[in-house]
Amino acid sequence: MSQHVAEITHRSVSVPGGRIHVAEQGSGPLVLLVHGFPESWYSWRRQLPALAQAGYRVAALDVRGYGRSSKPAAEDSYRMLALVEDNVALVRALGEESAVIIGHDWGSNIAATSALLHPEVFRAVGLLSVPYAPPGGPRPTGIFAQMGGEQEFYVSYFQEPGRAEAEMEPDVRGWLAGFYAALSAETMPGPNAPDPHFVSPGATLRDRFPSGRLPSWLAEDDLEVYAGEFERTGMTGALNRYRNMDRDWKDLADFNGAPIKQPALFIGGSLDASTTWMADAINAYPATLPGLVSSHLLDGCGHWIQQERPEEVNQLLTEWLTALPIE
């Protein structure tokens, strides 16, 4: 389907948890795009026009705590159940009964949980970079504490209130540039370099970031957009997602081991730690994602998959969306 589409429009809509900012483009069946850390709706800037051109109404949101969306003060306001309810309320606020939901990074987890808890609203789910792993298993903080030996896993580092903020907020732009470069295929540290997902004793995460150049997908103007948002909002709202993982583990206990049955899509990067560390989750898809339509691993691609490889990702998303049953 090809059609002329209007430019991206922005608005904020009221949901029970506050207000959610969305960037919208196109008309047709609703597709909700959910970003990860440390990003914003802007991470989908190359998908909005492509999916709108293909005949969809595309809405990319700022997740609670990010960008122009509400930023509650309480840490537990960022638990997964709250973010799922934001998505459900957003679909209703946009005047729709159902939507396809697609997420990247933390957005993949949020999209997956939204589909798991509300199959009546989310008729299909697309997961980018982070595979689906059903709720359950050991307590998350216990797992992360055991990773890396003397080194500290970045998730544990992020979980202590104020600690990561003290590293990031004095130079948001520089920190983001390094973090984006560290997980991009063309600028990530080599296999013999210290892993940027871990922190040495007494050091900071940034000590392991590459410096000197931005990945080609990230223009200076793009970096300014990201940095400008976090300089305005601070980093706490975004980091609070990591600080709720044990709460999520308790909240979702009734869904331990539960599969997502709706039509699903997975796209990962072969050089992304998310896909290598979670290879067992991908191998378990026949049981955990029985509705999986297709799974793709993009060779030589890093973590920021829809920005590193927009044409390939747009084609895969469009083909998958087009093949979904019409509602």
Side-chain angles (χ1 to χ4, degrees):
M1 183 184 300
S2 180
Q3 59 182 18
H4 174 75
V5 295
E7 293 301 308
I8 296 172
T9 61
H10 295 264
R11 62 169 159 152
S12 292
V13 300
S14 295
V15 299
R19 291 179 65 78
I20 297 295
H21 165 252
V22 289
E24 296 179 78
Q25 192 168 17
S27 59
L30 179 61
V31 178
L32 200 62
L33 303 178
V34 189
H35 67 81
F37 175 89
E39 303 178 80
S40 74
W41 77 267
Y42 191 74
S43 302
W44 301 103
R45 62 194 177 280
R46 296 187 174 99
Q47 284 65 54
L48 281 159
L51 299 185
Q53 187 68 35
Y56 296 91
R57 180 188 181 190
V58 194
L61 68 145
D62 281 337
V63 173
R64 179 189 297 210
Y66 288 82
R68 302 178 219 175
S69 290
S70 293
K71 298 160 194 66
E75 183 181 285
D76 64 358
S77 295
Y78 297 85
R79 66 204 315 152
M80 184 63 75
L81 291 182
L83 303 184
V84 168
E85 291 311 311
D86 281 349
N87 291 340
V88 172
L90 179 58
V91 171
R92 303 285 191 245
L94 294 176
E96 303 290 346
E97 294 298 319
S98 67
V100 175
I101 189 167
I102 300 170
H104 169 257
D105 183 77
W106 261 122
S108 178
N109 294 102
I110 297 168
T113 312
S114 298
L116 178 65
L117 270 57
H118 291 281
E120 77 286 359
V121 176
F122 300 105
R123 61 188 182 92
V125 60
L127 310 175
L128 274 58
S129 296
V130 175
Y132 174 62
R139 182 183 296 271
T141 51
I143 297 174
F144 301 137
Q146 296 173 13
M147 297 179 66
E150 292 185 357
Q151 303 176 77
E152 185 177 14
F153 191 45
Y154 79 100
V155 175
S156 298
Y157 182 69
F158 285 172
Q159 285 179 329
E160 183 179 335
R163 186 178 174 202
E165 287 93 329
E167 174 187 342
M168 300 172 183
E169 291 180 351
D171 178 20
V172 169
R173 188 183 188 281
W175 194 93
L176 291 175
F179 191 68
Y180 295 147
L183 305 187
S184 295
E186 63 188 288
T187 49
M188 64 176 50
N192 296 321
D195 189 333
H197 295 89
F198 293 87
V199 182
S200 298
T204 66
L205 197 65
R206 186 175 181 172
D207 293 336
R208 298 188 175 195
F209 293 170
S211 61
R213 71 185 181 103
L214 298 177
S216 59
W217 62 264
L218 185 68
E220 293 284 351
D221 288 348
D222 299 325
L223 181 57
E224 288 297 327
V225 172
Y226 287 122
E229 292 291 75
F230 286 111
E231 285 170 348
R232 181 174 55 80
T233 65
M235 301 299 298
T236 299
L239 288 164
N240 276 343
R241 177 81 293 275
Y242 294 91
R243 297 163 185 166
N244 277 277
M245 296 180 74
D246 280 358
R247 291 188 183 97
D248 299 339
W249 179 72
K250 293 179 180 178
D251 288 343
L252 298 171
D254 288 345
F255 294 87
N256 285 358
I260 295 174
K261 299 179 181 180
Q262 298 96 306
L265 167 76
F266 175 73
I267 312 173
S270 69
L271 300 180
D272 184 3
S274 298
T275 57
T276 55
W277 288 340
M278 299 186 69
D280 289 346
I282 296 175
N283 293 334
Y285 278 169
T288 61
L289 287 180
L292 185 69
V293 175
S294 59
S295 181
H296 309 270
L297 203 61
L298 303 188
D299 188 49
C301 186
H303 181 68
W304 317 106
I305 189 163
Q306 77 270 36
Q307 298 180 85
E308 292 186 50
R309 298 282 186 83
E311 292 82 9
E312 290 173 73
V313 170
N314 290 347
Q315 181 177 350
L316 292 171
L317 291 177
T318 301
E319 291 174 351
W320 173 67
L321 288 166
T322 303
L324 292 174
I326 298 175
E327 291 195 0

